[in-house]
Amino acid sequence: MASIQFPKDFVWGTATASYQIEGAYNEDGRGMSIWDTFSRTPGKVVNGDTGDIACDSYHRYEEDIALLKNLGVKAYRFSIAWPRIYPDGDGELNQKGLDYYAKVIDGLLAAGIEPCVTLYHWDLPQALQDKGGWDNRDTIRAFVRYAETAFKAFGGKVKQWITFNETWCVSFLSNYIGAHAPGNTDLQLAVNVAHNCMVAHGEAVKAFRALGISGEIGTTHNLYWFEPYTTKPEDVAAAHRNRAYNNEWFMDPTFKGQYPQFMVDWFKGKGVEVPIQPGDMETIAQPIDFIGVNFYSGGFGRYKEGEGLFDCEEVQVGFDKTFMDWNVYAEGLYKVLSWVHEEYGDVPIYITENGACYEDELTQEGRVHDAKRADYFKKHFIQCHRLIESGVPLKGYFAWSLLDNFEWAEGYVKRFGIVYTDYKTLKRYPKDSYRFIQSVIENDGFEA
């Protein structure tokens, strides 16, 4: 048996998002978000579930910090709910919102845990959506104002900031596929939103630098590893388009200040143009201190005319599947982060999300034996070790998620947590996967 040992300074953490765990949707001056609206729209979320209560972390954050401390993590990634800080998105400051996050941050620091703060994890104030949302460039200015407020309030205490979580989801999943809030199905709109979010990211980085805040700032993209089923040129090209939709479309502007031309041409063939204004690309490509990568899956594809947006069909090759029906492709993590390193240089990388959804059962003894999830983590940890040994600057790993929570359009049916949430009592039960990660952190590794 091979021993997998991680560097002593490797950052182990876990992650959550505000709308998924906080609840308290109408307390202490919080405004409505697009997810409050979307989840109340019939047919949009499984069982009509909402995040009104979720895990009630707004009132139980101390309990959650205790779970984190017991787990042994060095860092905790969570997001600030913009509507708690500016209920109308761009109007009057809500001090009670800042006070809540100050308590969370101070509680984490007292427990020896570094807060890693995401500024935008999808809960756009509804008041801004009513004015066009991310399609309206005024939202960029409002976001920067909100970001500056957070930087000033928590600068010094928070050493790691993430501007956006998964811009692909904010744009294409939410405004072209329509599966997430606000639920639009317009390709041009999705491209507009993607671009404006990346501009907002760059402007926030500029604001962070101008304020002289200590610490690091970056962004998080969800990357997907998609390979051609054969070496036929048409299969190679189709798979590349499908992969670039998640990867190059966001990574190239972030690091190279330009969109991949072959994708620009493809979208143009669909009648879609990128709404670039003078100075935008320079803003998007502001130097960042690290890149966050969320990785869940990968697959194989081949050319098929008329299939999806990119004339590409996925080919099933026998992967195990999670309860989300996602392929378990741990080696895809090695491949995609190796690609990031080769393509974009020595930027430090954090895996800001990685995890799996399975059907969990709580035993009468209060245990959850989630062997498949523990095995999922183990396989991906091995790939993390391979990356480090290969010279890729992988600095940390945040497991998704600390808690079972509101899984967006899937409601409460799908569980990703390493801690089981009983939604009737809101009691938390650490799963076997929690104990596995706890052991890995304690020993800086494990026996493979």
Side-chain angles (χ1 to χ4, degrees):
M1 296 218 309
S3 180
I4 302 294
Q5 287 296 125
F6 283 85
K8 290 283 186 187
D9 62 351
F10 191 75
V11 177
W12 291 103
T14 184
T16 61
S18 49
Y19 189 76
Q20 292 183 273
I21 68 164
E22 285 179 0
Y25 81 101
N26 59 355
E27 292 186 38
D28 291 338
R30 177 188 177 278
M32 295 290 275
S33 80
I34 56 174
W35 271 97
D36 294 301
T37 303
F38 189 76
S39 62
R40 283 165 168 70
T41 306
K44 295 298 186 185
V45 176
V46 172
N47 297 326
D49 292 337
T50 72
D52 289 3
I53 299 172
C55 305
D56 194 34
S57 288
Y58 190 79
H59 301 111
R60 297 167 185 257
Y61 68 91
E62 290 174 313
E63 190 179 339
D64 296 339
I65 291 171
L67 284 165
L68 290 162
K69 185 174 183 180
N70 187 55
L71 183 59
V73 293
K74 292 180 182 175
Y76 173 52
R77 177 182 174 234
F78 65 97
S79 73
I80 292 176
W82 186 350
R84 288 201 192 280
I85 310 304
Y86 288 105
D88 294 325
D90 194 27
E92 199 170 322
L93 174 69
N94 178 36
Q95 185 61 42
K96 286 183 178 178
L98 284 178
D99 293 345
Y100 167 69
Y101 292 108
K103 288 186 290 186
V104 173
I105 290 165
D106 288 344
L108 288 166
L109 292 172
I113 299 164
E114 290 290 345
C116 173
V117 172
T118 303
L119 289 168
Y120 187 75
H121 203 130
W122 308 353
D123 40 5
L124 182 72
Q126 181 61 43
L128 292 180
Q129 183 61 41
D130 293 342
K131 299 174 184 175
W134 286 112
D135 191 36
N136 181 348
R137 287 182 69 110
D138 283 348
T139 301
I140 298 172
R141 181 192 51 75
F143 175 75
V144 175
R145 180 181 179 227
Y146 151 62
E148 285 180 329
T149 300
F151 294 150
K152 290 173 183 174
F154 308 124
K157 289 185 176 182
V158 174
K159 296 196 175 82
Q160 198 167 47
W161 297 88
I162 293 170
T163 54
F164 279 77
N165 179 75
E166 299 186 347
T167 315
W168 180 88
C169 291
V170 179
S171 54
F172 291 107
L173 185 63
S174 304
N175 289 285
Y176 169 60
I177 299 169
H180 281 188
N184 298 310
T185 52
D186 182 324
L187 184 58
Q188 179 65 66
L189 175 62
V191 168
N192 295 354
V193 167
H195 181 74
N196 290 344
C197 285
M198 286 193 281
V199 173
H201 150 76
E203 292 289 0
V205 173
K206 284 202 259 186
F208 180 81
R209 305 286 187 220
L211 287 168
I213 303 290
S214 63
E216 298 181 331
I217 191 165
T219 191
T220 283
H221 295 313
N222 54 308
L223 303 186
Y224 188 79
W225 193 249
F226 208 70
E227 298 178 49
Y229 185 65
T230 77
T231 57
K232 293 176 185 174
E234 62 268 32
D235 287 351
V236 172
H240 191 195
R241 288 191 296 270
N242 212 62
R243 187 171 77 234
Y245 179 44
N246 273 85
N247 298 6
E248 284 98 317
W249 191 256
F250 298 94
M251 294 289 283
D252 277 15
T254 301
F255 289 103
K256 298 180 178 180
Q258 60 188 35
Y259 286 97
Q261 191 59 46
F262 75 99
M263 291 291 284
V264 171
D265 294 342
W266 187 266
F267 281 131
K268 192 175 264 188
K270 305 282 184 186
V272 172
E273 301 267 359
V274 188
I276 301 170
Q277 294 189 12
D280 279 359
M281 301 315 293
E282 293 83 355
T283 294
I284 293 171
Q286 288 296 303
I288 53 178
D289 301 307
F290 65 90
I291 184 68
V293 173
N294 293 354
F295 178 84
Y296 289 96
S297 190
F300 287 77
R302 64 186 169 200
Y303 175 77
K304 184 180 180 182
E305 187 175 356
E307 181 70 23
L309 189 55
F310 301 108
D311 293 350
C312 182
E313 70 166 350
E314 183 165 357
V315 182
Q316 297 302 324
V317 299
F319 286 117
D320 290 338
K321 302 271 190 177
T322 68
F323 190 42
M324 293 289 286
D325 202 35
W326 296 349
N327 296 331
V328 178
Y329 188 20
E331 195 181 3
L333 176 62
Y334 177 81
K335 291 180 177 180
V336 78
L337 293 191
S338 295
W339 169 78
V340 169
H341 182 52
E342 290 163 14
E343 190 71 20
Y344 304 107
D346 281 331
V347 61
I349 301 168
Y350 289 86
I351 296 167
T352 38
E353 287 181 25
N354 176 240
C357 172
Y358 290 106
E359 293 182 271
D360 296 322
E361 288 187 23
L362 184 66
T363 68
Q364 287 186 322
E365 297 75 34
R367 300 294 292 261
V368 177
H369 302 303
D370 58 337
K372 287 183 178 179
R373 184 177 290 106
D375 185 61
Y376 180 98
F377 283 123
K378 186 174 186 177
K379 286 175 177 173
H380 286 79
F381 292 171
I382 289 169
Q383 300 302 324
C384 291
H385 185 256
R386 284 184 70 199
L387 286 158
I388 294 166
E389 291 288 298
S390 299
V392 174
L394 178 61
K395 303 299 184 183
Y397 176 102
F398 292 81
W400 185 268
S401 173
L402 174 64
L403 303 167
D404 291 334
N405 54 47
F406 177 80
E407 186 44 44
W408 306 113
E410 301 292 341
Y412 295 102
V413 174
K414 302 288 171 70
R415 295 175 179 269
F416 275 87
I418 58 173
V419 175
Y420 184 94
T421 304
D422 182 330
Y423 294 116
K424 290 178 182 171
T425 66
L426 296 172
K427 190 172 178 183
R428 282 89 156 118
Y429 298 88
K431 304 177 187 179
D432 287 356
S433 58
Y434 173 101
R435 294 178 176 88
F436 169 67
I437 293 174
Q438 185 181 48
S439 169
V440 172
I441 295 171
E442 190 178 332
N443 298 301
D444 293 316
F446 58 96
E447 295 298 318

